[in-house]
Amino acid sequence: TEAVAFLNTLNTDKLQVVLERLVQNLHLKEESAFTPEEEVKLQKVFRTDKDGVDTIIDTCSYIFQQFAYNNVSSLEKATSSLAERGMDE
């Protein structure tokens, strides 16, 4: 998908910080993992606009939620699942 292709263009070191925050806040369904101020900072870090940051957060959150829902228990299975959907390693 376009969202996955966009994620593949991002710096993985910078993306890791976002992923860690999303995992820490995965259980908070009604709250955003980032404040509006932090989202503005992410726009600068990733050199994108608000829609780009929303795509990053929403897509990564969706992936984690699907793993949790489907009880993906191994890294190998998770990596395989992401690769099938076009995600780079």
Side-chain angles (χ1 to χ4, degrees):
T1 68
E2 290 181 36
V4 171
F6 176 62
L7 289 180
N8 285 334
T9 67
L10 301 176
N11 178 302
T12 55
D13 292 331
K14 294 176 182 177
L15 186 58
Q16 183 175 346
V17 175
V18 173
L19 297 175
E20 288 172 1
R21 174 74 71 85
L22 291 172
V23 168
Q24 291 170 355
N25 292 284
L26 196 58
H27 65 286
L28 304 173
K29 302 231 184 247
E30 300 300 319
E31 296 179 35
S32 176
F34 298 94
T35 66
E37 294 81 13
E38 290 172 325
E39 289 188 15
V40 170
K41 289 179 183 177
L42 290 174
Q43 290 176 33
K44 293 175 184 173
V45 167
F46 290 111
R47 296 185 177 131
T48 190
D49 58 11
K50 180 177 178 358
D51 289 338
V53 169
D54 289 344
T55 297
I56 294 167
I57 293 170
D58 293 346
T59 303
C60 292
S61 294
Y62 176 78
I63 290 169
F64 287 134
Q65 289 167 355
Q66 289 300 302
F67 283 158
Y69 178 77
N70 293 306
N71 196 22
V72 175
S73 57
S74 74
L75 180 59
E76 183 178 317
K77 189 174 178 181
T79 302
S80 174
S81 179
L82 287 173
E84 289 172 9
R85 288 163 180 78
M87 215 44 190
D88 288 344
E89 290 185 32

